Amino acid sequence: MHQKLSTYLKNKYGEKIYRLSLSSGCTCPNRDGSILMPDGTPLTGGCTFCSEGGSGDFAAQVTAGSIDQQIQDAKELISQKTDARHFIAYFQSFSNTYGDISRLKELYTKVINREDIVILSLGTRPDCIDDSVLAMLKELNQIKPVWIELGLQTINEESARRFHRGYELKVFEKAYKALKDAGITVVVHVILGLPYETKEDMLKTVKYLAVLDPALDGIKLQNLQILKGTAMYQDYLNWKERARSKQDTVVAGKTSEEFYFMDMEEYTDLIAECIALLPETTVIHRMTGDGPRKLLVEPLWTLDKKRVLNTLTRKCRDLLE
């Protein structure tokens, strides 16, 4: 059977371990214009589904140079639901290996040496893994485990171009091999339901990850979420307007192939199918997303997190421990 992250951590550490969402103050190369589109236009704004928070809307706010204060703030945010003593320092927003390497090394070294931190987890992009980053990660990994979370989302190159990912699949493959050769734990993020993608496209991505060598350490699966203020939100509004102009009723996925929002039953069935494809050594870090209530436009059923998780537990009971 596959292990959920909570089970894996409990087995490894003998206690419940919680994530603290933190910020390193980094950005992304597809936000600052460092990556050029095929026509030579600099990419800015990041991936089109990303909010201004860079997929880290629940992260503690950056305080005036004090990572200790960030950690304290993050602890207070979860204090009502846990009395946990040890934590994962999760640098979630943007690309946390993109920037001045000396500054990042100083920051992460300080964090990983704290007694209450048992794992350092860095969200980033494959094109932000170079030799200097690998050297830093190897050094940190000698102190405590370091996880690198790579935002692949899909292996479909056309989908990746549409949402402005800014790198090709071969870049992911090179970074993945380098990280695994360096002994780093790798977790990959996948979004299910990207515009124009079919079920077969989504399963192709999971099947690709299922046969990686060395085997993938962990995976985060989540449904596409449309958040106010994103470029994809504008695409969504344009799609709805086109549907109205045709005097069609805008029902999820029925007026255009561009956007199709699975209902909860369909999505949870797909998650069970995805997990069954993966090797049992791949830890399941996430099975659904929970976007900020004030920003979420679609799909609204994800706001009922308890119901979603109960449904996933029921459908995956023979797959997960």
Side-chain angles (χ1 to χ4, degrees):
M1 295 182 72
H2 298 77
Q3 285 188 320
K4 293 187 296 184
L5 178 60
S6 57
T7 304
Y8 168 81
L9 293 170
K10 186 69 178 293
N11 290 341
K12 183 174 178 65
Y13 293 99
E15 61 183 281
K16 194 160 182 75
I17 306 294
Y18 273 82
R19 278 187 296 255
L20 301 177
S21 291
L22 307 169
S23 175
S24 67
C26 290
T27 185
C28 298
N30 62 343
R31 282 181 176 262
D32 66 7
S34 297
I35 296 175
L36 301 181
M37 298 177 73
D39 64 0
T41 304
L43 265 181
T44 57
C47 297
T48 62
F49 52 76
C50 260
S51 68
E52 285 302 309
S55 295
D57 295 285
F58 295 111
Q61 295 299 306
V62 181
T63 52
S66 172
I67 189 60
D68 291 327
Q69 186 61 53
Q70 271 200 70
I71 290 173
Q72 184 58 39
D73 292 345
K75 283 183 178 182
E76 290 177 3
L77 283 174
I78 63 172
S79 61
Q80 292 185 347
K81 63 179 179 180
T82 179
D83 57 357
R85 297 177 297 112
H86 296 101
F87 304 90
I88 298 170
Y90 180 27
F91 288 87
Q92 179 178 9
S93 309
F94 306 111
S95 299
N96 293 284
T97 58
Y98 182 59
D100 181 76
I101 195 69
S102 297
R103 183 185 74 83
L104 294 176
K105 183 177 179 180
E106 180 181 359
L107 172 66
Y108 299 144
T109 300
K110 181 175 184 178
V111 171
I112 206 169
N113 278 300
R114 287 177 57 112
E115 290 187 6
D116 54 352
I117 299 300
V118 295
I119 295 166
L120 175 67
S121 184
L122 306 177
T124 193
R125 297 164 51 94
D127 55 352
C128 296
I129 304 292
D130 59 18
D131 289 344
S132 63
V133 168
L134 286 168
M136 175 186 71
L137 297 176
K138 288 172 71 174
E139 187 174 329
L140 292 168
N141 200 41
Q142 295 299 310
I143 304 170
K144 290 173 189 171
V146 173
W147 296 353
I148 287 293
E149 302 198 14
L150 296 176
L152 177 64
Q153 318 308 354
T154 181
I155 64 166
N156 186 306
E157 299 282 27
E158 185 57 36
S159 291
R161 281 190 288 272
R162 277 194 294 264
F163 70 75
H164 295 175
R165 189 176 68 186
Y167 67 83
E168 296 179 343
L169 184 60
K170 62 185 179 183
V171 176
F172 167 82
E173 292 173 342
K174 180 181 178 182
Y176 182 80
K177 183 180 186 305
L179 288 164
K180 294 306 300 172
D181 286 349
I184 304 299
T185 296
V186 179
V187 180
V188 172
H189 293 217
V190 173
I191 293 179
L192 303 173
L194 287 164
Y196 295 104
E197 287 209 358
T198 63
K199 179 181 177 182
E200 289 68 31
D201 291 323
M202 301 174 217
L203 291 176
K204 280 182 183 178
T205 293
V206 177
K207 289 175 182 177
Y208 165 86
L209 294 172
V211 296
L212 286 176
D213 184 21
L216 181 62
D217 298 298
I219 190 168
K220 286 187 173 181
L221 298 162
Q222 77 166 68
N223 47 315
L224 175 68
Q225 296 187 329
I226 304 299
L227 303 179
K228 293 176 184 176
T230 63
M232 193 171 285
Y233 175 57
Q234 188 59 54
D235 292 340
Y236 167 79
L237 293 178
N238 293 341
W239 166 70
K240 289 183 71 174
E241 185 58 36
R242 288 195 303 273
R244 289 193 186 95
S245 69
K246 296 176 184 177
Q247 296 184 332
D248 290 337
T249 301
V250 180
V251 179
K254 305 305 182 186
T255 57
S256 166
E257 64 176 357
E258 183 173 358
F259 287 99
Y260 177 72
F261 300 104
M262 293 174 274
D263 62 28
M264 187 183 70
E265 291 298 324
E266 186 178 5
Y267 177 76
T268 50
D269 283 341
L270 178 60
I271 286 293
E273 193 169 347
C274 289
I275 292 173
L277 293 170
L278 294 163
E280 292 188 353
T281 54
T282 299
V283 177
I284 311 302
H285 285 236
R286 179 192 293 159
M287 295 185 286
T288 184
D290 53 348
R293 184 177 294 270
K294 65 181 179 180
L295 297 179
L296 184 66
V297 178
E298 291 277 7
L300 293 176
W301 57 260
T302 60
L303 292 173
D304 191 350
K305 190 171 181 179
K306 183 177 180 180
R307 179 167 169 250
V308 176
L309 292 178
N310 286 341
T311 304
L312 284 166
T313 298
R314 173 170 54 82
K315 293 189 177 182
C316 300
R317 65 164 60 98
D318 296 327
L319 298 168
L320 293 170
E321 60 171 308

